Amino acid sequence: MSLPHGWEMVVGLEVHTELQTATKMFCGCANAFGAVPNTSVCPVCLGLPGALPVLNERAIDLAMAIGMALHSTISPSTFHRKNYFYPDMPKDFQISQYDLPINAGGYLDLPDSTRVTIERAHLEEDTGKSTHLGGSGRIHGADRSLVDYNRSGVPLVEIVSGPDIRSSTQARLYASELRAILVATGASDGRMEEGSMRIDANVSVRHADEPFGTRCEIKNLNSLRSLQRAIDYEALRQVELLEGGGRVRQETRHWDENLGATSTMRTKEEAEDYRYFREPDLVDLAPDIAWQDRVRAGLPPMPAERRATLSARLVGANDAQLDALEVVIDLGLDPFVHHAIDAGVDPGLALARGANELAAGLEDIARLNRDAFSATLLMEQRGELSSTQAKTVLGELLAHGGEPGTVAAAKGFEQLSADTLGTTVAELLAQFPSEWERYRDGDEKLAQFFIGQVMRITNGQANGKAVVAELRARR
Amino acid sequence: MAPPLRREDVAHVARLARLTLSEAELDMFTEQLGQVLEHANDMSALALDDVVATAHPFGLTNVVREDVVTASLERARVLEMAPDAQDGRFAVPQIMGDAP
Ligand SMILES: [Zn+2]
């Protein structure tokens, strides 16, 4: 979408990511998504009087890893109480970092080579989860709410970008690149649909080169699609408001995915009354160089570098392959693709199977080792498995594990031996002399006819490419 | 030096904490909170320009624990403490306004 002529949108994003720790931020309760409600709670994360928080060392490691990946300066930092009254925060305050965050400054380079500045990436704790009953199901109409505190105190890092984003497409690119970085560092599983990564978008509009306009904050966007749609809607709403002689009011807005619209949640003036003050129960955090170096040494290559490495092996890639490359990098599947290419698989085939079959089976990826992936693709490449059969074998390996040859045999995919295929083709040529004649005269379409016949006779066990090779050899 | 505490400031803070104060209570707390703040003003009046800001009375940093799971509370015990529970969750009255 583009705004009416002369208008430009200015967007900054706040991305909250839950950290992949074993325990919560300030207590030893398990950080477990989807557990039975209120089974992972203790005096600390329930905010019972007298309970004292103690920082989780691993959460600090991961926060620093994020900062390093974003070129931030790891800084001495402190914790504050952000006070507000809401049942999902049982202490009536959230422990967060305020004026001194652990990661200060930084940047993220987008694949389109735009540089987005990072203002800060700080540690804080997540809130509990409310379910609203009664009324229309919307918060305002609810008769009562039920609260589960399993998520209360789960460690979060909030990454705040500068107002450097100029389109919803770019916002989406930023979010997806950041997600790939978070996954690469091991800090996050990047699962937006499960709420482990949530985005707030600050949106304003202006005439190009004028000062920034008044911004609105859209809360809790939980998919890349919502992010993009919400930003487009909000920017256009502001332009129309201003062109109609109105004024944008600084406020927090809610995105309704079904309506495709944002609406006022509350005005900003009220929300700013958080009365931040130092958390007296926590001392300063100042990781020394040795600690920082330990974290830095454990950092794997980041997506930008991995993208460059893989694309160097895909010379002359088409648009579909470039898209596939993004999928593979985003999901961290590139080690499989590299392994297959190293084993002699055609790069295009390795990429396609990575971006489709592996991506579809991401939940089960732990069951598939790289050797099995490469071996399956080599069988496909040699014509021992058809494409359909190779996909089925990969699906089976992901679902149940195993060894490709055994799985193929169990599925009845025993390759059609070259001899059998040769005999079958020879019989067909004798059976369809006029079709064979036309093919020999250069009518390539008839190859499909013969493939179809071979498939019929062999119950689909032949490989189309092998059939064509057989036909060519006899032409 | 901070301006003296006004009655409407107290009413505002009470509203943020979702406290309903009577007129008499507003008067009382304006006076009491005002005295607390006056004490803070006394401290601001001291000449402390050469004193380095202290973030915490303890000279400690990096107090951390290992990321190892410890036992959580028994759910039945937890919910017993709540005025009301439903479906294994704390039940709370209709929420007044939205979370910030
Ligand atoms: Zn706990």
Side-chain angles (χ1 to χ4, degrees), chain A residues 358-374:
Chain A
L358 294 193
L362 198 61
E363 298 272 305
D364 301 319
I365 201 74
R367 284 205 202 93
L368 182 70
N369 68 49
R370 294 173 200 176
D371 288 332
F373 176 68
S374 300

Side-chain angles (χ1 to χ4, degrees), chain A residues 438-456:
Chain A
R438 277 159 58 202
Y439 178 75
R440 291 179 75 173
D441 289 345
D443 189 348
E444 295 291 338
K445 286 199 297 294
L446 280 150
Q448 289 308 316
F449 166 78
F450 284 111
I451 293 173
Q453 290 298 320
V454 174
M455 290 299 184
R456 183 180 57 79

